[in-house]
Amino acid sequence: MKVDEASVLKLLSRPETRRQAFTLLVKEYSEPLYWRIRHLVLTHEDTNDILQNTFLKAWTSLETFRGSSKVSTWLYRIAINESLDFLRKKKQQTEMSVDAGASLANQLLADPYFDGDALQVQFQEAISQLPEVQRIVFNLRYFEELKYSEISKLLNTSEGALKASYHLAVRKITDYFNHHD
């Protein structure tokens, strides 16, 4: 069942129907949010934690949601911000070393939810080498197939900057494969 945004907004605005409406949102958006987060943070456990934090933050922020954007855009923005916060904290805890790609490969291969082959592991390693902004833009454009206009709203940046980041990311990934044959 596809959630009708206008109906959900109406239900969210009334205290007596807010919980019911939020339950609908969780059912509708859990899977797409999971995969958006997963492409950014890679592991199942981290993704689940961030997904729970996303819905918790959305629930506690319902009062401030004015409906100026779609509910899905609002939820995706929260999920991306939670993912970025997580990545920043993780980076501070363990500064990325030269062996980060190898540990990423080992993490992915050990993850029971990862069903990719060696080429996919190598692709994720190449993506993990990108600077944070390029990695996020690449993931949203490549995996999520979002338009630059949608990414611009999510990240609050210009479409021109996003296009530049995406093309730099593609070039770096291509270079990675050219040097790791």
Side-chain angles (χ1 to χ4, degrees):
M1 173 186 105
K2 193 76 177 147
V3 172
D4 173 41
E5 293 251 345
S7 301
V8 170
L9 285 174
K10 197 176 289 185
L11 292 170
L12 285 172
S13 68
R14 297 198 311 260
E16 64 274 8
T17 56
R18 188 170 291 142
R19 188 174 298 277
Q20 172 195 0
F22 196 76
T23 300
L24 288 173
L25 288 180
V26 171
K27 284 181 184 173
E28 178 74 14
Y29 293 108
S30 284
E31 187 173 344
L33 282 174
Y34 173 90
W35 288 108
R36 280 191 163 86
I37 295 166
R38 179 80 187 255
H39 285 132
L40 296 172
V41 301
L42 300 178
T43 67
H44 172 72
E45 290 77 16
D46 293 339
T47 301
N48 271 343
D49 290 347
I50 294 167
L51 182 61
Q52 288 176 2
N53 290 345
T54 297
F55 283 120
L56 181 61
K57 185 164 267 181
W59 176 254
T60 59
S61 303
L62 276 177
E63 301 289 328
T64 61
F65 180 68
R66 299 285 171 241
S68 57
S69 64
K70 291 172 64 176
V71 174
S72 57
T73 302
W74 177 65
L75 287 171
Y76 293 145
R77 183 172 290 140
I78 293 171
I80 287 169
N81 286 333
E82 288 294 308
S83 298
L84 291 175
D85 287 346
F86 170 82
L87 291 170
R88 279 186 210 104
K89 287 175 189 166
K90 187 174 182 177
K91 187 176 181 180
Q92 287 172 353
Q93 289 170 356
T94 57
E95 283 298 315
M96 295 295 277
S97 68
V98 178
D99 295 332
S103 67
L104 172 65
N106 291 336
Q107 279 181 339
L108 285 173
L109 292 172
D111 186 341
Y113 295 94
F114 180 76
D115 61 357
D117 58 16
L119 188 60
Q120 285 181 310
V121 169
Q122 209 176 6
F123 185 48
Q124 290 300 332
E125 285 178 18
I127 293 169
S128 75
Q129 305 295 315
L130 296 172
E132 186 174 276
V133 172
Q134 289 175 16
R135 187 175 70 247
I136 290 163
V137 171
F138 181 82
N139 280 316
L140 294 174
R141 183 85 175 117
Y142 182 84
F143 290 111
E144 304 303 325
E145 299 177 358
L146 294 181
K147 296 176 183 167
Y148 288 113
S149 59
E150 294 171 297
I151 300 170
S152 175
K153 288 177 190 170
L154 286 171
L155 300 179
N156 292 324
T157 191
S158 73
E159 289 184 39
L162 294 172
K163 288 177 183 177
S165 289
Y166 181 77
H167 291 292
L168 281 170
V170 169
R171 186 178 313 137
K172 288 177 182 177
I173 291 169
T174 303
D175 288 348
Y176 179 91
F177 276 99
N178 287 338
H179 293 98
H180 289 86
D181 288 349

